[in-house]
Structure formats: C-alpha cells, structure tokens
Amino acid sequence: MAMPIVDEATVEELDLPGRHLRWVVTKESTGAQYCTMAVIRVAPGSRVRPAHSHPNGEEIIYIINGHGRVLIDGEVEQVKAGCAVLFPKGKIHMLENLSDEEMKVACFFAPPAGLENYAFFEDVDFPPDAS
C-alpha cells in the first residue's frame, strides 16, 4: 500500500489552461478511497479555464494565498486567503486570480475525482459587469 504522506514537490505538475495542477492525494499515491486532493497555482490575472462542473461529486477549495473571485452557477463572489468554498455537485464554476501574486489553492474532491470526470463548459465565463 502507498504511504499516506505525500510531499507536493515530488508530484508531477500539469500545465493546464489558467493553472498548474498537482494531484497530491490519489488512490495511487496514498491509498485514499473516498477523496482526492490537488494543489493549483494560478498566475496573477489568470482564470482557471474552461468553466467546469463535477457531475459525480463535490469540490471544496481553500485559498492558501492570493485573492480573486469565483463564479458558481452564475453567481460571483470574492475570495481571499483563508476562504473555503464549496462547489456543489453539478454546479458550473470558475476561479480567477485578481491579485498581483500567484494564487495557491488546495482542492478537495469527494468522491475521488480526476480530469477525466470533469464536465467542461467553454461558453461560460464571468459576467462582464462582475468584478
């Protein structure tokens, strides 16, 4: 069985639209059966693209540093370091870094998720008057 401790720096980083992502906690890396956890880095002024949802589960993000905004099912809210945000099952969401520093975010998924079970929505974006 895999060890239940993972050093984020040892995990391959994926270069995805609007963010760099590392799947830190997975069944393969830790033996976790009921959740996964990723860390993303979002450059200043960048948006995690495309908007997406998780049809089979929930995601909770925790902002470690930086500030910005989230779009959840058409609603926009401000977020900053120390905020936890629930993206409910099936709700379309996005994250944008409005700070002048890199935003770092821990993302928790239950049940376990991976990019293969995201639903993507290329035509969804933040409303033009929401900032």
Side-chain angles (χ1 to χ4, degrees):
M1 180 175 136
M3 282 296 295
I5 300 170
V6 179
D7 179 348
E8 168 193 341
T10 67
V11 177
E12 175 191 6
E13 186 171 71
L14 305 176
D15 187 4
L16 301 173
R19 78 241 186 238
H20 298 278
L21 179 146
R22 294 178 196 261
W23 287 104
V24 179
V25 175
T26 63
K27 184 175 186 177
E28 295 73 26
S29 68
T30 65
Q33 298 179 53
Y34 305 106
C35 64
T36 50
M37 183 264 194
V39 172
I40 62 171
R41 298 184 302 110
V42 183
S46 291
R47 291 181 183 173
V48 172
R49 293 192 174 272
H52 60 277
S53 70
H54 308 285
N56 303 315
E58 298 175 320
E59 177 182 7
I60 295 171
I61 65 168
Y62 180 78
I63 311 296
I64 298 168
N65 61 282
H67 68 271
R69 60 187 180 160
V70 293
L71 172 75
I72 306 172
D73 213 27
E75 299 290 320
V76 177
E77 294 292 337
Q78 302 296 310
V79 293
K80 62 181 176 150
C83 287
V85 179
L86 170 66
F87 296 137
K89 178 181 175 181
K91 300 292 184 184
I92 299 170
H93 56 274
M94 288 181 83
L95 171 67
E96 181 176 31
N97 181 0
L98 297 175
S99 63
D100 58 3
E101 67 177 314
E102 180 178 85
M103 178 184 272
K104 188 171 184 180
V105 182
C107 309
F108 304 89
F109 304 86
L115 294 175
E116 68 280 358
N117 55 24
Y118 281 38
F120 295 105
F121 300 87
E122 297 281 350
D123 57 336
V124 174
D125 203 347
F126 284 92
D129 62 341
S131 48

